[in-house]
Amino acid sequence: MKVLIIYSSIHHGNTKKIARTMATSINADIIETKNLKINTLDEYDLIGFGSGIYNAKFHKNILNLIDKLPKLKNKKVFIFSTSGFGRTKYNVPIEKELRKHNLEIIGSFTCKGYDTFGLWKLFGGIAKGRPNNKDFQNAKDFAERLISS
């Protein structure tokens, strides 16, 4: 199975760390959203979309990419995110958008990540030290379950 992980990681590299962990554990290709050549997506059987969360939303780079997705047949996808709170509800809007493109969502992952966005900066941020080793192990386990199913 050929896997691609696409991510946007802007402030602290939290999402990039999780994306790398997943990619390494399942031998996936990995690329930052801004470097993706959209016509290469057909080469992959499974595609992951990941982002940090900004004002309860995925980064605009991922949102714009999903808007521009070409017709992809028989593609499975998964979603992952990092945020100060690590809430799974942040992944739901992206799931809905991907379903509009008739993509099969086979998993969703989230974990906490150090966050100094907006008002959190005034307090020194939240979720310091995250993602941590447990988060990395959970990301690895999640990715391995995706390709074994």
Side-chain angles (χ1 to χ4, degrees):
M1 177 183 288
K2 194 166 179 185
V3 183
L4 175 64
I5 297 175
I6 306 165
Y7 70 93
S8 282
S9 187
I10 307 303
H11 288 117
H12 299 290
N14 301 322
T15 308
K16 183 177 185 176
K17 292 172 190 173
I18 293 296
R20 283 185 175 168
T21 298
M22 289 181 180
T24 300
S25 72
I26 59 173
N27 196 29
D29 292 338
I30 182 173
I31 191 161
E32 204 167 350
T33 314
K34 64 183 178 183
N35 298 324
L36 176 70
K37 291 183 172 80
I38 202 161
N39 61 339
T40 63
L41 295 178
D42 259 340
E43 300 171 15
Y44 295 92
D45 304 303
L46 176 61
I47 303 168
F49 296 88
S51 174
I53 300 298
Y54 307 90
N55 283 332
K57 297 178 184 169
F58 268 56
H59 191 270
K60 65 181 178 179
N61 290 348
I62 288 285
L63 298 173
N64 291 338
L65 168 65
I66 291 170
D67 282 344
K68 295 176 186 174
L69 283 177
K71 275 204 180 268
L72 299 169
K73 291 186 179 183
N74 302 318
K75 297 294 177 189
K76 295 180 180 182
V77 298
F78 65 94
I79 302 145
F80 64 101
S81 65
T82 60
S83 67
F85 295 108
R87 294 184 178 148
T88 56
K89 72 178 185 177
Y90 297 141
N91 291 4
V92 173
I94 295 302
E95 290 177 21
K96 289 178 182 176
E97 288 303 311
L98 290 168
R99 282 193 181 97
K100 288 179 186 176
H101 291 277
N102 296 316
L103 298 168
E104 181 185 351
I105 299 163
I106 63 168
S108 181
F109 176 85
T110 188
C111 71
K112 289 185 178 182
Y114 180 49
D115 185 352
T116 57
F117 189 76
L119 290 176
W120 299 122
K121 188 175 189 174
L122 298 174
F123 303 101
I126 57 173
K128 292 178 184 173
R130 302 291 291 274
N132 59 23
N133 287 338
K134 184 177 178 185
D135 297 318
F136 294 128
Q137 186 62 51
N138 289 341
K140 180 181 179 218
D141 292 346
F142 168 80
E144 289 172 356
R145 279 192 308 272
L146 288 174
I147 62 165
S148 67
S149 58

